[in-house]
């Protein structure tokens, strides 16, 4: 009897675990579907509103697929304000900042992860501490400084600070580079490579997932940046897309179809980049926190 009783318990335990798994999987799918619907609903509403007439925006019950479809909203949004110029301005700023941030953050991350120097840990902790300072705190001092060097109403305040002070990017790449085996560097030194060549030829090519993740974060952050351009830019020809899109909102009324059409136009580059770099993005976020 003593041998039979544990066997029955084991059988019941296996059955219960299988039952729990059978119930947990549909529940997990329901939660994921609910979350996906919540995430997609604003996007669907934006696209739907961009194709509606001005009087059909707030009709009840709301129609997901409007009838008729007003495709001319996109043409009108493009021609009403200089969206084309703002598009080029945002593209220029986002590309320069992204490329510059990837270079500076990868160099700093390599120094913190693979090199030894006096005060290394202190400087790294000091850099991380800057992430706790809200950006709004530095707005007035930065504006006063840039006004003294005549950078107000130019794109330089939107480019230089993000390239030279991206603490999150340094942290992300430092974490990822710490997971790269040291044997690869030793093999490079045996072949006669100096530290710069090891960084450029060995470490950097192995950081593609983390670089892709940081690139997407940086591109999206600068593409959607509204506050900084609002403070520094006065000339409409130098406006970025968020400022131009905000111009569709008036003091007493808002042209919602044109506003949503302009928003849809602004999303195209970000969606394209994310679709092609999604695999690297997820891999970089997952692996960068595996080793401290």
């Amino acid at each position: 009897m003593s041998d039979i009783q544990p066997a029955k318990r084991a059988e019941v335990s296996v059955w219960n675990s299988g039952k729990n798994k059978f119930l947990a999987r549909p529940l997990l799918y329901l939660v994921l579907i609910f979350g996906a619907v919540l995430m997609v609903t604003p996007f669907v509403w934006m696209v739907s509103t961009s194709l509606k007439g001005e009087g059909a925006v707030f009709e009840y019950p709301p129609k997901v697929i409007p009838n008729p479809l007003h495709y001319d909203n996109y043409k009108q949004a493009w021609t009403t304000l200089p969206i084309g110029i703002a598009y080029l301005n945002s593209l220029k700023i986002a590309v320069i900042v992204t490329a510059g941030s990837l270079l500076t953050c990868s160099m700093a991350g390599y120094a913190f992860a693979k090199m030894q120097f006096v005060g290394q840990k202190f400087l790294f902790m000091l850099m991380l501490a800057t992430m706790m300072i809200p950006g709004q705190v530095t707005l007035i001092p930065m504006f006063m400084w840039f006004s003294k060097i005549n950078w107000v109403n130019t794109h330089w305040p939107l480019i230089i600070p993000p390239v030279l002070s991206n603490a999150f990017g340094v942290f992300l790449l430092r974490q990822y580079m710490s997971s790269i085996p040291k044997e690869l560097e030793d093999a490079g030194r045996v072949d006669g490579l100096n530290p710069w060549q090891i960084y450029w030829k060995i470490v950097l090519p192995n950081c593609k997932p983390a670089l892709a993740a940081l690139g997407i974060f940086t591109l999206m952050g600068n593409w959607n940046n509204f506050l900084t351009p609002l403070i520094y830019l006065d000339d409409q020809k130098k406006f970025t897309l968020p400022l131009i899109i905000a111009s569709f909102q008036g003091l007493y009324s808002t042209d919602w179809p044109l506003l949503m059409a302009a928003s849809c136009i602004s999303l195209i580059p970000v969606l394209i980049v994310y679709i092609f770099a999604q695999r690297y993005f997820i891999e970089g976020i997952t692996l960068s926190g595996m080793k401290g």
Side-chain angles (χ1 to χ4, degrees):
M1 291 292 294
S2 60
D3 294 336
I4 296 176
Q5 198 70 17
K8 287 185 177 180
R9 289 182 187 149
E11 183 179 351
V12 172
S13 178
V14 172
W15 188 84
N16 286 334
S17 63
K19 183 179 179 180
N20 291 335
K21 289 182 179 180
F22 179 77
L23 295 176
R25 189 175 295 273
L27 181 61
L28 177 62
Y29 286 157
L30 286 176
V31 173
L32 292 176
I33 291 173
F34 179 73
V37 170
L38 287 179
M39 296 297 105
V40 172
T41 298
F43 179 77
V44 173
W45 184 86
M46 178 182 66
V47 176
S48 175
T49 304
S50 70
L51 296 172
K52 291 180 179 180
E54 190 172 357
V57 175
F58 298 107
E59 65 180 2
Y60 187 84
K63 295 180 180 178
V64 178
I65 303 178
N67 186 23
L69 297 173
H70 293 265
Y71 294 105
D72 57 324
N73 287 340
Y74 287 85
K75 181 180 179 181
Q76 189 175 351
W78 186 271
T79 55
T80 301
L81 293 172
I83 290 185
I85 297 176
Y87 218 97
L88 293 177
N89 292 335
S90 291
L91 187 64
K92 179 189 74 173
I93 294 171
V95 170
I96 294 176
V97 172
T98 301
S101 296
L102 291 179
L103 179 62
T104 57
C105 292
S106 62
M107 293 173 65
Y110 174 74
F112 283 121
K114 298 296 184 180
M115 301 180 71
Q116 300 294 328
F117 53 89
V118 178
Q120 180 182 17
K121 292 184 178 180
F122 174 76
L123 290 176
F124 183 68
M125 296 303 296
L126 185 64
M127 181 203 67
L128 292 182
T130 62
M131 296 174 62
M132 294 183 284
I133 302 175
Q136 293 81 358
V137 174
T138 61
L139 282 178
I140 295 178
M142 293 289 287
F143 183 85
M144 294 176 63
W145 171 254
F146 288 135
S147 65
K148 289 182 179 180
I149 60 177
N150 297 322
W151 277 12
V152 175
N153 202 29
T154 69
H155 289 157
W156 290 116
L158 312 181
I159 296 174
I160 300 301
V163 170
L164 299 181
S165 59
N166 192 343
F168 170 76
V170 176
F171 171 75
L172 181 69
L173 292 179
R174 184 261 183 187
Q175 295 297 98
Y176 194 91
M177 289 178 179
S178 296
S179 65
I180 297 176
K182 189 177 180 181
E183 289 75 13
L184 293 176
E185 302 173 69
D186 295 336
R189 293 189 183 95
V190 171
D191 291 337
L193 299 182
N194 57 42
W196 171 260
Q197 292 172 321
I198 293 174
Y199 154 78
W200 190 258
K201 295 183 179 180
I202 296 179
V203 176
L204 206 58
N206 284 282
C207 293
K208 289 181 180 179
L211 290 172
L214 178 59
I216 293 176
F217 277 134
T218 307
L219 180 67
M220 292 178 61
N222 287 275
W223 187 264
N224 298 320
N225 187 13
F226 175 76
L227 181 60
T228 310
L230 178 65
I231 292 174
Y232 290 107
L233 300 180
D234 298 326
D235 188 358
Q236 194 178 61
K237 293 182 179 179
K238 298 178 181 178
F239 277 9
T240 57
L241 267 177
L243 291 183
I244 287 293
I245 292 175
S247 300
F248 285 102
Q249 291 183 286
L251 183 61
Y252 300 105
S253 63
T254 300
D255 195 332
W256 289 105
L258 296 189
L259 177 64
M260 294 298 105
S263 299
C264 289
I265 294 173
S266 70
L267 280 179
I268 294 175
V270 177
L271 288 177
I272 292 175
V273 172
Y274 183 78
I275 289 173
F276 283 100
Q278 182 180 11
R279 179 171 64 90
Y280 292 112
F281 173 76
I282 297 174
E283 185 179 351
I285 292 299
T286 303
L287 297 181
S288 60
M290 291 180 62
K291 185 174 181 180

